[in-house]
């Protein structure tokens, strides 16, 4: 059976010691479609070559909202944009707003978010969105741009998920569905139509096991849980997620 990981920081330093073996395990497990999130040049340099060897592996690049500093200016984004025109990523992301941990850069986050969306429009690329405790501002900004893509690690309400679905977005769920008392993510999974659903790990982050690194192959447990919640076989869910993944990059 085939799996996807719609959001994986495969180039992250936490994978430095065993990245090659990790990728081998991923391929053996059927993890043939992966969005590789790169939030810095180090990440990109570690994984960019995978696009040539595994066609289903896609490269997403952005300045993460949590990495912004109060002293940052538009020059930082302009340098990034020039680099992207050389790298030619498959997706812009993850970009967005994080008011949970970085309220102090709220206004700067909005500015950089809009610049990322402008770049996505210019390069005709889908977008991978990070949004934490910023539902209204995220929606208001997205409505200004003719972009589509993926809402990463969705943990909002079923109602909010369906608003994004009506606007044409894919909704990606991760290990939050495995957490104890994860009522709201499970309700959102049940609400999202199958043709708008993706599955991710956000590895090495968001591990469902305290003190253990989250690995891309952990996506298999997430598939099993989501298949149970949707009343599907694992094969049905796998086929739907693969179709949805391909649609993101063929629009």
């Amino acid at each position: 059976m085939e799996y996807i990981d719609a959001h994986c920081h495969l180039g992250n330093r936490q994978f430095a010691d065993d990245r090659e073996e990790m990728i081998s395990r991923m391929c053996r497990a059927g993890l043939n479609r992966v969005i590789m999130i790169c939030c810095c040049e180090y990440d990109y340099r570690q994984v960019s070559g995978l696009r040539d060897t595994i066609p289903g592996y896609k490269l997403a690049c952005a300045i993460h909202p949590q990495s912004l500093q109060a002293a940052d200016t538009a020059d930082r984004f302009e340098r990034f944009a020039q680099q992207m025109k050389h790298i030619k990523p498959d997706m812009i992301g993850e970009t967005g707003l994080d008011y949970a941990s970085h309220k102090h850069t709220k206004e700067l986050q909005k500015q950089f978010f809009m610049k990322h969306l402008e770049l996505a429009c210019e390069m005709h690329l889908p977008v991978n969105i990070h949004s934490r405790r910023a539902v209204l501002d995220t929606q208001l900004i997205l409505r200004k741009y003719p972009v589509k893509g993926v809402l990463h690690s969705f943990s909002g309400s079923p109602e909010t998920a369906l608003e994004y679905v009506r606007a044409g977005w894919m909704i990606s769920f991760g290990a939050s569905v495995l957490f104890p008392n994860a009522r709201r993510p499970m309700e959102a999974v049940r609400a999202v139509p199958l043709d708008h659903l993706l599955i991710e790990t956000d590895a090495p982050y968001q591990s469902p096991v305290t003190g253990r690194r989250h690995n891309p192959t952990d996506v298999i447990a997430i598939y099993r849980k989501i298949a149970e919640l949707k009343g599907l076989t694992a094969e049905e869910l796998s086929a739907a997620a693969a179709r949805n993944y391909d649609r993101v990059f063929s629009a």
Side-chain angles (χ1 to χ4, degrees):
M1 196 170 76
E2 184 178 46
Y3 298 97
I4 69 160
D5 188 342
H7 196 103
C8 175
H9 298 261
L10 193 57
N12 189 275
R13 292 180 189 275
Q14 291 190 45
F15 292 130
D17 293 338
D18 63 343
R19 186 177 293 108
E20 187 174 335
E21 176 56 28
M22 171 72 69
I23 293 164
S24 178
R25 290 197 298 271
M26 291 165 67
C27 292
R28 291 197 302 271
L31 196 46
N32 298 324
R33 290 176 170 89
V34 176
I35 299 178
M36 303 178 293
I37 302 295
C38 298
C39 297
C40 66
E41 189 168 349
Y42 173 89
D43 296 354
Y44 160 73
R45 291 188 180 279
Q46 303 309 306
V47 299
S48 59
L50 288 173
R51 290 191 294 179
D52 297 328
T53 57
I54 312 176
Y57 282 35
K58 304 296 184 181
L59 193 68
C61 299
I63 300 172
H64 196 285
Q66 291 178 325
S67 77
L68 291 173
Q69 305 297 321
D72 281 334
T73 66
D75 288 347
R76 181 179 178 187
F77 185 83
E78 293 310 316
R79 291 193 299 272
F80 166 79
Q82 287 305 313
Q83 189 178 30
M84 290 305 100
K85 289 168 186 177
H86 172 70
I87 290 172
K88 295 182 172 56
D90 304 290
M91 173 178 260
I92 297 298
E94 61 185 290
T95 181
L97 304 172
D98 195 315
Y99 297 169
S101 61
H102 285 65
K103 286 184 180 179
H104 60 292
T105 58
K106 183 175 178 179
E107 294 306 315
L108 191 63
Q109 288 181 50
K110 291 181 187 177
Q111 294 171 28
F112 271 63
F113 186 21
M114 289 186 283
K115 288 179 180 295
H116 278 88
L117 298 178
E118 289 166 6
L119 181 63
C121 291
E122 181 183 344
M123 298 184 72
H124 307 289
L125 294 175
V127 184
N128 190 293
I129 302 297
H130 173 108
S131 180
R132 292 179 68 212
R133 298 187 187 172
V135 172
L136 182 57
D137 281 353
T138 301
Q139 290 178 322
L140 289 174
I141 290 173
L142 286 176
R143 287 170 190 160
K144 299 177 182 179
Y145 298 90
V147 294
K148 293 293 180 289
V150 180
L151 264 294
H152 140 67
S153 189
F154 190 82
S155 60
S157 69
E159 294 77 17
T160 299
L162 291 175
E163 287 180 28
Y164 280 116
V165 166
R166 286 190 289 270
W169 289 84
M170 293 289 177
I171 311 296
S172 183
F173 294 93
S176 63
V177 298
L178 303 177
F179 296 167
N181 304 316
R183 182 180 57 83
R184 193 159 75 158
M186 289 192 285
E187 289 176 351
V189 166
R190 292 188 182 102
V192 170
L194 188 58
D195 61 353
H196 283 265
L197 188 146
L198 288 173
I199 301 169
E200 66 172 79
T201 60
D202 197 22
Y205 309 111
Q206 298 196 47
S207 174
V209 180
T210 303
R212 176 183 171 273
R213 185 185 73 180
H214 203 13
N215 294 321
T217 49
D218 293 337
V219 79
I220 295 169
I222 302 171
Y223 264 80
R224 289 172 180 158
K225 183 63 177 181
I226 290 178
E228 175 189 325
L229 293 170
K230 299 293 284 183
L232 301 169
T233 66
E235 290 76 13
E236 288 170 333
L237 179 60
S238 172
R243 287 194 299 270
N244 295 343
Y245 182 94
D246 290 342
R247 280 172 53 206
V248 169
F249 295 102
S250 63

